[in-house]
Amino acid sequence: MHEPSTLPVMVIDDEPHLRITASQTLELAGYTPHCFESAEQALEALPANFPGVIVSDIRMPGMDGMTLLNELHSRDATLPIILITGHGDISTAVEAMRAGAWDFLEKPFAGDQLLDVVRRGIEKRQLSLENLRLKAELEVQQAALGPRLVGRTAVISRLAAMIQRISQVEADVLLFGETGTGKDLVARAIHERSARRNSPFMAINCGAVPENTIESELFGHEKGAFTGAVERRIGKFEHANGGTVFLDEIESMPLALQVKLLRVLQERSVERLGANETVPLNIRVIAATKVDLKAAAEEGYFRGDLYYRLNVVTLPLPALRERREDIPLLFQHFAVIAANRSGLEAPTLDSPSIAALLAHDWPGNVRELRNLAERYVLLGAAFDYRLDALLEGVSADTEEPTLPRQVELFEKSLISQSLARHHGRVTDVCRHLGIPRKTFYDKLKKHSLSADDYRHSSDP
């Protein structure tokens, strides 16, 4: 965020004394005022992505304030515009707010009133510009080939460079990182950037496959190889021929099977259970672990020869706490995905929310952050968009969000977002949600919500 002294405020009014008074008030508060006597002059001087706010009189010779409002919003709908109305001109103020004005000031107004609406407008503008910057950065990253590594820290930039380099060679790879750091995503990124991208990518979680079936899953079997083998089965390795096999949680693989895996890696061939012939393999193997395999080998929990065979290229993945500057960008990325999937809007992060994200330890790493972003989109309104409450996993009344409670929270969040989107207009909200007015009012009562809190004037 910029400091106030660097933030400009445009003041547009045909009355010289008002421009002088507003300019002095803003300068004393640390802002940089730019005064214009006409809307035409201001439009000509307005730069793209103006970081401040606009304060304009409504009644002026030439282009009036309402016309200026419409023109500015056609250029940038997120630009906060504060309109100045005449004494007692409430109908004009209501019209301005409906047209999208950020706020209005009624003449005569005190300097404190001006500074208050400017401060709030500046905060909104800075958050909007940050949101636009994050979205633009995400679009650039999403244009990359294969799965995206979202982030701009030095550690993630080095990881991206290593992935690009490794993907161009045919070495097996060992990924090492805590739970939730994105080992599956990195494995897919290596595959998608390699010459094998048009061949299969087979992901196997060694800790999730039952021990009595994992050998058949990996290597396949012939009909009659064991009780229940009623037909031939092609294993994951053979099915991935020409592509990539990703072995996640390889530390969970039984020791007896590790011997056979070592032979597959050395000979690049596989023998189905019950078969007498081997099948040649053209595969790359990417293994992933969250434990120190060398230490596990020294303690007898993992085969040392398999560790050294896998350890051709080891790629460490950083924990989220090691790349804290990426957290807001990642959060926004996951929030946009969740919003697009659910048909909701991705709320903008404010300063307290960003502070809460940066202060958290993230033991679950990127996976935990992604889950939080999804909850923020779906349930945020029920928590007053307080990320600290969502991080604790409880609502404002400290009730645990059980499944029925989560359904209630989602319903309340959906109604709140619809009310905000339609400025409290009940008719529009009911049409949007597809429910009768009586049902809607019953739900407002159930969730202690009021349409009046979301509107600038009475519902038509």
Side-chain angles (χ1 to χ4, degrees):
M1 296 284 182
H2 295 282
E3 293 298 322
S5 60
T6 67
L7 290 169
V9 179
M10 277 193 174
V11 179
I12 310 167
D13 200 294
D14 60 315
E15 299 179 22
H17 75 276
L18 191 146
R19 296 198 303 271
I20 293 171
T21 302
S23 177
Q24 291 174 344
T25 300
L26 292 166
E27 278 186 321
L28 289 173
Y31 296 103
T32 304
H34 299 274
C35 297
F36 302 89
E37 63 180 351
S38 71
E40 290 85 354
Q41 291 178 354
L43 284 172
E44 187 175 343
L46 183 68
N49 293 326
F50 180 66
V53 300
I54 309 289
V55 181
S56 174
D57 194 9
I58 286 184
R59 304 191 185 281
M60 297 182 293
M63 181 183 291
D64 62 19
M66 294 298 293
T67 306
L68 173 65
L69 172 66
N70 294 329
E71 173 61 27
L72 289 171
H73 274 186
S74 70
R75 300 185 183 188
D76 186 346
T78 66
L79 181 61
I81 301 162
I82 302 160
L83 293 180
I84 302 172
T85 67
H87 176 66
D89 198 358
I90 299 300
S91 61
T92 303
V94 169
E95 182 185 356
M97 297 296 285
R98 283 185 168 177
W102 163 247
D103 212 329
F104 70 93
L105 290 165
E106 184 182 7
K107 293 180 181 178
F109 53 85
D112 289 345
Q113 291 177 285
L114 172 64
L115 293 178
D116 179 60
V117 294
V118 165
R119 176 187 56 79
R120 290 186 288 106
I122 287 287
E123 290 176 355
K124 174 185 180 294
R125 182 57 171 167
Q126 291 302 290
L127 289 171
S128 297
L129 290 177
E130 176 69 5
N131 205 29
L132 288 172
R133 186 189 64 78
L134 291 175
K135 288 182 177 179
E137 188 167 343
L138 288 172
E139 288 175 0
V140 171
Q141 297 201 19
Q142 288 171 356
L145 182 65
R148 283 86 57 190
L149 292 180
V150 178
R152 54 177 178 268
T153 53
V155 65
I156 207 69
S157 297
R158 286 194 297 269
L159 178 60
M162 286 295 296
I163 289 173
Q164 185 61 33
R165 191 175 302 123
I166 289 170
S167 65
Q168 305 307 308
V169 298
E170 282 296 319
D172 293 335
V173 181
L174 178 63
L175 306 178
F176 175 65
E178 297 177 8
T179 298
T181 49
K183 295 186 286 292
D184 177 81
L185 183 143
V186 171
R188 291 180 184 275
I190 293 172
H191 173 76
E192 291 294 335
R193 288 164 173 78
S194 73
R196 299 179 180 271
R197 69 179 66 95
N198 295 321
S199 298
F201 176 88
M202 296 299 303
I204 303 144
N205 189 320
C206 300
V209 182
E211 187 171 343
N212 62 337
T213 63
I214 188 170
E215 185 173 357
S216 174
E217 285 286 328
L218 295 182
F219 308 136
H221 62 255
E222 295 289 345
K223 180 178 179 180
F226 51 85
T227 303
V230 295
E231 59 183 1
R232 171 186 285 181
R233 176 186 176 86
I234 302 299
K236 303 291 188 184
F237 276 83
E238 190 175 347
H239 184 75
N241 220 344
T244 302
V245 174
F246 174 50
L247 299 173
D248 198 7
E249 296 188 19
I250 195 168
E251 71 276 7
S252 303
M253 182 175 287
L255 283 169
L257 190 61
Q258 291 178 27
V259 179
K260 297 185 178 182
L261 174 60
L262 178 62
R263 186 180 306 118
V264 169
L265 295 179
Q266 290 173 337
E267 299 177 2
R268 274 328 194 241
S269 64
V270 65
E271 185 176 312
R272 305 187 199 106
L273 289 174
N276 296 318
E277 297 179 355
T278 59
V279 178
L281 294 177
N282 172 22
I283 59 170
R284 165 185 245 161
V285 174
I286 302 175
T289 180
K290 60 180 179 292
V291 305
D292 185 340
L293 290 183
K294 184 178 181 182
E298 292 171 351
E299 295 174 10
Y301 297 111
F302 196 81
R303 291 190 62 92
D305 49 4
L306 178 58
Y307 163 70
Y308 288 110
R309 182 64 186 80
L310 289 170
N311 192 32
V312 178
V313 177
T314 298
L315 196 58
L317 274 61
L320 192 54
R321 60 182 174 275
E322 298 171 12
R323 44 184 294 221
R324 288 188 182 275
E325 293 177 18
D326 288 334
I327 290 174
L329 180 65
L330 278 164
F331 185 92
Q332 187 68 37
H333 171 70
F334 294 131
V336 169
I337 292 174
N340 290 340
R341 186 167 58 242
S342 61
L344 300 173
E345 294 182 3
T348 302
L349 288 174
D350 56 15
S351 298
S353 296
I354 293 175
L357 289 175
L358 297 178
H360 189 59
D361 287 337
W362 302 108
N365 291 293
V366 177
R367 185 178 299 152
E368 181 184 0
L369 180 67
R370 181 187 62 206
N371 292 339
L372 176 68
E374 292 177 351
R375 292 202 304 275
Y376 189 65
V377 171
L378 297 176
L379 308 177
F383 288 82
D384 296 325
Y385 291 105
R386 285 179 48 223
L387 271 176
D388 56 344
L390 279 169
L391 280 165
E392 294 170 4
V394 295
S395 63
D397 58 3
T398 69
E399 180 182 352
E400 291 292 340
T402 58
L403 182 57
R405 175 63 172 160
Q406 288 183 20
V407 173
E408 287 188 16
L409 291 173
F410 176 74
E411 183 179 76
K412 181 177 181 180
S413 176
L414 182 62
I415 292 172
S416 297
Q417 291 195 38
S418 296
L419 283 167
R421 180 181 302 172
H422 297 287
H423 305 292
R425 295 190 293 270
V426 173
T427 301
D428 293 342
V429 173
C430 291
R431 185 182 301 113
H432 173 72
L433 296 177
I435 59 176
R437 289 176 72 95
K438 183 181 183 305
T439 301
F440 178 72
Y441 280 115
D442 289 342
K443 291 186 180 297
L444 286 182
K445 182 178 180 180
K446 171 185 174 183
H447 296 296
S448 300
L449 294 171
S450 172
D452 293 336
D453 295 337
Y454 297 85
R455 61 167 68 107
H456 301 305
S457 63
S458 60
D459 187 48

